[in-house]
Structure formats: C-alpha cells, structure tokens
Amino acid sequence: HVELKEKLKSYINSSNTEKIFYWIVYAWGGIKENENSSVSTFVDDYVKANGNGEVLLESFAGRQERVASWSKILSFLYPHDYFIYDARVAFTLDFLYGRESFPVPPGDNTVIKKHVGRRRQPTLDEYKEYCSLIKKIHPQVWSTNGEGTNVPYYMTEMLIFSLLND
C-alpha cells in the first residue's frame, strides 16, 4: 500500500480519474457503495482545483458527510499533506487522549458502535487539526530521540488506524 500510495498519483489523468477515485473509495477503501456516490463530484472538484491540494480540500470539505471518502482520495493525491479521517482513526485518537477530541463519523464498525453514542462529521478545521496532529506526533512515534526520520507521515495515520484492531 505504501508504494501504491506513492505512485498512483502519476497515473491519474483526465481519462481515468473517475475510475481511480472509484477504486480508492470503494475497492481499496472498503466503503459501501450507494446510489448517492460522490465520486463524479470529487472528480469535478479535482479538475477545478487544477492540482492545488488546499483548493481541493476546501471543495471536498463542503461535503462533510463523505469525509471517509474524500480524505482517502486526498491521502493518495497528497500523501505527505493529508491523511485518511474515518471513524476508526477518530475513535482511536479519542481513546489514546482519554477524551473526545475528534468527532467520530457515522460508520458500521461494531467496536465503535458499542462505545460511541453521538457521532458527527468533522468540520474542515477539525480535519486540518487532525492533519496537523499527525505531523506533530510523527517524530515522537518513529524516533527514539525525538528527531524526524525518513518514515512518511501517512505511516503514523496507518498506525493509528491499525490500533483499533488491537
């Protein structure tokens, strides 16, 4: 997955963008497809952003109810700047912090359903705060002396995601 994340962006072009976004969200990302798929809208936003990640983030974030989808796309397009935000990551961070710091979006995970009552989508500012947190804690997670390493930021996000299984 690490190599895939690094290389996929170079394969995106106008003729295959929708197929790749669809694959990221539904096949790789494991999100259940529904009749209200936003992939074509995400492609339109991507084209309008013309490669500018911040512009794309702003347009995606207007669809907060799809954070798990658009954050997956952003994480593939800009793997060193944006990270996947879903219920598992938010729940794990809240558990590690010992308080509700990040909103847990709705989802089907049975562990989360048992422990989280009210759930909501993150705001754009909360998503940006999450991305900043990943970058802030990253050196402490991957280094024994507090200095940064060559480990990409998204490895910290992947680690947090994986902790729910443990």
Side-chain angles (χ1 to χ4, degrees):
H1 287 219
V2 172
E3 187 176 344
L4 176 66
K5 206 166 218 182
E6 289 290 335
K7 293 184 178 183
L8 188 65
K9 185 177 178 183
S10 65
Y11 293 102
I12 296 174
N13 61 48
S14 60
S15 64
N16 69 5
T17 304
E18 187 161 357
K19 288 178 186 175
I20 290 176
F21 284 11
Y22 188 93
W23 179 84
I24 291 169
V25 172
Y26 298 113
W28 181 85
I31 293 180
K32 292 179 184 173
E33 187 178 355
N34 61 45
E35 67 276 356
N36 297 323
S37 172
S38 300
V39 171
S40 61
T41 306
F42 294 157
V43 171
D44 292 342
D45 291 345
Y46 173 72
V47 171
K48 289 175 190 170
N50 197 27
N52 185 315
E54 188 66 28
V55 170
L56 186 58
L57 171 62
E58 296 283 335
S59 64
F60 279 3
R63 292 171 199 81
Q64 286 173 261
E65 74 283 355
R66 305 290 298 177
V67 65
S69 297
W70 57 254
S71 66
K72 283 175 177 59
I73 292 170
L74 278 173
S75 78
F76 270 85
L77 295 172
Y78 309 99
H80 305 289
D81 298 315
Y82 302 112
F83 312 102
I84 297 170
Y85 188 108
D86 63 7
R88 292 170 67 122
V89 169
F91 179 81
T92 301
L93 285 172
D94 284 352
F95 177 80
L96 292 172
Y97 275 101
R99 65 181 188 279
E100 293 182 16
S101 300
F102 293 92
V104 179
D108 295 330
N109 185 286
T110 55
V111 172
I112 295 172
K113 281 184 178 182
K114 284 195 311 189
H115 298 285
V116 178
R118 190 171 149 249
R119 296 164 76 171
R120 71 172 177 84
Q121 302 292 345
T123 65
L124 176 60
D125 287 340
E126 287 168 327
Y127 176 75
K128 287 179 178 180
E129 180 184 337
Y130 161 70
C131 290
S132 294
L133 176 68
I134 294 295
K135 291 177 181 180
K136 181 179 178 182
I137 66 172
H138 179 80
Q140 296 151 352
V141 170
W142 298 103
S143 174
T144 57
N145 61 6
E147 295 177 16
T149 67
N150 290 331
V151 177
Y153 285 126
Y154 55 78
M155 293 298 290
T156 300
E157 174 262 319
M158 290 177 176
L159 175 64
I160 293 167
F161 178 87
S162 72
L163 289 175
L164 184 62
N165 293 330
D166 297 334

